[in-house]
Amino acid sequence: MNLERDYFTSKILPLKRKLFAKAFTILTSAEEAEDAVQDVMLALWNKRTDWQTIDNVEVYAMTLVKNFAIDRFRRKGYRSDSLDDVPDDAHLSAEPNPLEAAVSNDEQTLVENIIARLP
């Protein structure tokens, strides 16, 4: 049991951010994306006896989260014939996320400092 727990904490848990990002691009809801990631983590734990047969656990987990997120997307009434019908900007919110805002502020400050040093 300890080996399974160690493998899960060292190989699978670190994937949470990537899984969340993938789910969020499909679901556009942080809460729904977190739920999808939690479902994936549970599914991966329940398949712990099959871990030896999985060639690349990251690819497997990303595929699972994509499928779980698409299922959630369809269940929530956003059903369309395919995800191709979803506009490319459907995952973008009106406001930037905190990381994007911080990067933008840093870039603006840097540009202003460079301009201030110009002759």
Side-chain angles (χ1 to χ4, degrees):
M1 182 72 167
N2 281 338
L3 291 175
E4 293 168 342
R5 185 183 48 175
D6 292 344
Y7 182 86
F8 190 82
T9 56
S10 68
K11 300 291 184 189
I12 296 173
L13 279 180
L15 299 174
K16 280 176 59 173
R17 287 181 186 238
K18 281 185 175 181
L19 296 173
F20 176 83
K22 181 68 169 181
F24 186 78
T25 60
I26 295 169
L27 297 167
T28 68
S29 163
E31 186 177 294
E32 289 290 325
E34 287 172 3
D35 289 346
V37 171
Q38 188 174 27
D39 290 345
V40 168
M41 291 294 174
L42 182 59
L44 286 168
W45 179 254
N46 289 336
K47 290 194 66 77
R48 63 188 174 274
T49 57
D50 299 331
W51 286 346
Q52 301 87 353
T53 62
I54 299 171
D55 291 330
N56 187 327
V57 72
E58 182 176 348
V59 171
Y60 183 77
M62 293 298 282
T63 302
L64 277 179
V65 80
K66 179 187 76 169
N67 292 337
F68 277 54
I70 289 170
D71 288 346
R72 282 184 166 278
F73 184 83
R74 289 180 176 157
R75 275 197 313 258
K76 292 296 179 184
Y78 303 113
R79 186 167 177 93
S80 65
D81 290 336
S82 78
L83 286 179
D84 295 333
D85 296 339
V86 177
D88 289 337
D89 63 347
H91 66 280
L92 301 176
S93 65
E95 297 180 21
N97 68 38
L99 177 61
E100 290 171 344
V103 169
S104 178
N105 288 339
D106 289 347
E107 289 173 347
Q108 182 175 351
T109 302
L110 180 63
V111 170
E112 288 172 355
N113 289 340
I114 291 170
I115 290 172
R117 284 189 249 150
L118 291 174

